[in-house]
Amino acid sequence: MANIPPVALGLWALSIIAQLAVLTLLLLKGHFRGLPLFTTYIILNLCQAGLLIIVYSRLIFASHDAQVLFWFSEAITLIAQAFAATEILHHVLRPYRGIWALAWRLLAITSSAVVLYVAASAKEDPDWILMIASRGFHLTFTIATVSCLLLIRFYEIPVHRVYKALLTGFCLFSCSIVIADTLLPILRARHNMHYAAIWNSLALAVFVVVQIVWTVALREPLTVPRDLAVLPATYARISPEINLRLRALNEVLCKFWKLEAPRS
Amino acid sequence: MNPTYFLFFGIVAVLLVLLASALRTPRKRSVNQFDLTSLEQSGRRHATYFAPMQQALSRADTDFLVSRGSPKLAHRVKKERRRVVLVYLRALRSDFRSLLHLARALAVVSPVVGASQELERFRLAALFSCRYQMVLLTLHAGLLAPPQLGGLSHLVSELAVQMEVAMRELGERAVLAGRLGSSLDGGGLDISAGRR
């Protein structure tokens, strides 16, 4: 592992320690029962770290085989990350079944749109296809998560501090990957000698900070709101009526300014 | 440098700003503390105060003042009329917000939420906000003509009565929704402790 930049090596070691702390808290506090997919994500990340220690101790850091193994393990952890974040969003919205139904539709629409864009852009630059795919995944992930959080905010649904910390961590980490993956071709084109170290260190530094934030957050007990009793027919009856009133109020404003009334 | 790179940096910056705004703690009046009495009062306020406002907006009153009083007095009346309209506009906005709040509270406790209904509401809220700002600008610029206000007064008068009836009805129907919503407050369960 001598060919790995020392800064990246140090940050990598720190990230492993931080992830072990997160896993310990998940197990000791019993959070793994409520968040099994998130726990799996942390375990898979640790397994990836273990695999890469073996790979980099036997192969050269920048070799083709090492890169193939890295991207293979990365794909698994990325899928786990998506499932873990969805699990947390589901925990937040579980008592609000109607809003959850809206949220997963929003997740599907935003994800599909960004995935299509990424697929199109990956075709244009086949040399950087893995980097573009990675950036595309993280961009999709962040847009979908932020969209859901905005929806939650719009309906003024309370989100527990722990869930806020976990989702923020995921988003910050994904944003750092988008920045790092965008910076890499720029640095390489400018013949910067340390492009690989900068790329590695940027994402790893944010990852370490995120793990520390998670460690602090997971010291608290996890709570979920009680499942609500529901009013199946009330929404269907009242919601159109409210929209009618809102439209009427809009029409009043139209008369003020001679605007065309909104079509019902 | 490829402009696409700037695009990605820009997207990340926007996402971070949106993330920060989404994670802000909701205002005191959240859907879990829905105040039904305020909803009923907002409907009643129109019914109670709209008749004198309509009188204040009548062209006959203004003409009378111009013919019998001084220009100074007419100017003062015009200024007062504008103030009344501004107060009324604020009341309209308050009604609009109350209705939106009620709609959100209902959506939150409902097991099935219509995407089209929610999108329509979102669109109406955006439209109202834009139009409200435009009307305010027009009023402050003194461009609002009296005939327009006359026509408006009739429409609003009808609406005020409709709103009062509807608000009361909606308020009664939403009592249950409000009670259910308030049960959320501090009603958290400890997952880890509960399943140990």
Side-chain angles (χ1 to χ4, degrees):
Chain A
M1 289 202 280
N3 45 15
I4 299 176
V7 179
L9 208 58
L11 284 168
W12 195 21
L14 271 176
S15 80
I16 293 171
I17 294 166
Q19 282 179 88
L20 282 169
V22 171
L23 183 63
T24 309
L25 277 170
L26 284 167
L27 296 175
L28 287 180
K29 295 265 180 185
H31 297 329
F32 69 93
R33 293 189 191 96
L35 297 170
L37 294 177
F38 180 76
T39 310
T40 310
Y41 164 71
I42 297 291
I43 292 170
L44 283 173
N45 260 314
L46 282 165
C47 290
Q48 185 194 24
L51 173 78
L52 292 178
I53 287 171
I54 297 166
V55 168
Y56 293 143
S57 59
R58 287 163 190 248
L59 300 168
I60 297 165
F61 179 59
S63 69
H64 177 261
D65 289 348
Q67 281 189 12
V68 167
L69 284 166
F70 166 77
W71 284 111
F72 175 73
S73 60
E74 185 73 357
I76 294 169
T77 55
L78 291 184
I79 293 165
Q81 180 185 331
F83 277 111
T86 310
E87 178 185 60
I88 295 162
L89 284 170
H90 184 240
H91 263 286
V92 173
L93 292 173
R94 193 165 54 186
Y96 315 97
R97 276 188 271 163
I99 307 298
W100 170 243
L102 274 184
W104 78 253
R105 278 181 219 163
L106 191 67
L107 275 172
I109 292 168
T110 48
S111 304
S112 310
V114 184
V115 164
L116 283 174
Y117 167 73
V118 169
S121 59
K123 274 184 189 170
E124 288 171 13
D125 204 350
D127 295 341
W128 293 95
I129 195 155
L130 281 172
M131 205 62 74
I132 291 170
S134 159
R135 184 175 62 189
F137 169 85
H138 286 284
L139 199 61
T140 308
F141 176 87
T142 315
I143 290 174
T145 311
V146 169
S147 304
C148 276
L149 284 169
L150 285 171
L151 190 78
I152 289 166
R153 166 85 187 155
F154 180 74
Y155 287 101
E156 298 177 12
I157 292 170
V159 184
H160 193 274
R161 277 193 298 270
V162 177
Y163 296 135
K164 265 188 191 177
L166 298 181
L167 290 170
T168 309
F170 275 131
C171 286
L172 288 180
F173 174 59
S174 283
C175 282
S176 74
I177 298 277
V178 173
I179 296 282
D181 287 353
T182 309
L183 269 178
L184 185 65
I186 298 171
L187 294 172
R188 209 170 157 186
R190 290 186 174 187
H191 306 292
N192 189 313
M193 298 293 285
H194 308 290
Y195 70 90
I198 294 170
W199 177 67
N200 260 314
S201 307
L202 180 66
L204 267 172
V206 175
F207 191 60
V208 170
V209 173
V210 165
Q211 297 297 322
I212 292 167
V213 170
W214 285 354
T215 310
V216 174
L218 284 166
R219 285 160 65 198
E220 275 188 52
L222 269 180
T223 60
V224 283
R226 285 194 189 94
D227 213 346
L228 292 172
V230 289
L231 308 165
T234 314
Y235 176 86
R237 204 170 55 238
I238 296 181
S239 185
E241 212 171 321
I242 293 175
N243 279 6
L244 208 69
R245 302 290 154 210
L246 292 175
R247 226 174 283 142
L249 284 169
N250 252 305
E251 278 166 19
V252 173
L253 284 185
C254 284
K255 293 283 173 184
F256 260 97
W257 210 62
K258 282 188 169 177
L259 285 167
E260 195 188 335
R263 284 168 198 171
S264 54
Chain B
M1 198 194 294
N2 191 336
T4 319
Y5 299 140
F6 286 113
L7 177 76
F8 281 105
F9 293 135
I11 290 172
V12 168
V14 170
L15 282 171
L16 288 174
V17 170
L18 288 175
L19 177 69
S21 72
L23 288 170
R24 273 185 305 143
T25 313
R27 286 165 299 163
K28 275 185 179 178
R29 194 185 76 156
S30 76
V31 287
N32 299 326
Q33 294 104 38
F34 186 64
D35 184 11
L36 290 167
T37 51
S38 69
L39 194 70
E40 284 177 23
Q41 277 167 4
S42 94
R44 204 175 293 140
R45 200 162 52 219
H46 276 298
T48 315
Y49 298 110
F50 193 74
M53 198 185 97
Q54 196 174 20
Q55 181 66 35
L57 292 177
S58 72
R59 183 179 268 273
D61 282 8
T62 318
D63 290 346
F64 178 79
L65 280 169
V66 170
S67 62
R68 296 288 177 93
S70 63
K72 198 179 168 186
L73 181 66
H75 177 71
R76 214 176 91 193
V77 169
K78 198 178 168 186
K79 208 173 155 186
E80 279 298 305
R81 277 174 50 171
R82 199 164 59 182
R83 194 184 63 78
V84 169
V85 175
L86 281 172
V87 171
Y88 185 71
L89 274 174
R90 268 185 231 122
L92 272 188
R93 188 178 56 173
S94 167
D95 279 354
F96 196 91
R97 284 180 175 174
S98 296
L99 278 169
L100 267 186
H101 195 65
L102 173 64
R104 283 177 198 165
L106 272 173
V108 161
V109 295
S110 177
V112 183
V113 171
S116 59
Q117 289 286 329
E118 297 304 310
L119 277 174
E120 166 78 349
R121 198 170 301 126
F122 190 76
R123 189 182 71 86
L124 286 171
L127 267 178
F128 187 88
S129 180
C130 288
R131 282 175 179 154
Y132 182 81
Q133 295 304 327
M134 283 196 284
V135 170
L136 273 191
L137 274 173
T138 318
L139 265 178
H140 283 300
L143 297 173
L144 206 66
Q148 278 175 270
L149 293 179
L152 166 78
S153 64
H154 179 66
L155 181 81
V156 173
S157 172
E158 277 181 3
L159 183 74
V161 179
Q162 284 174 15
M163 289 288 283
E164 192 191 8
V165 175
M167 289 284 201
R168 197 182 298 132
E169 197 185 334
L170 292 177
E172 283 164 8
R173 285 186 195 175
V175 165
L176 188 57
R179 281 182 192 155
L180 287 169
S182 66
S183 72
L184 270 174
D185 226 19
L189 293 172
D190 186 343
I191 302 174
S192 47
R195 296 191 189 181
R196 248 175 231 161

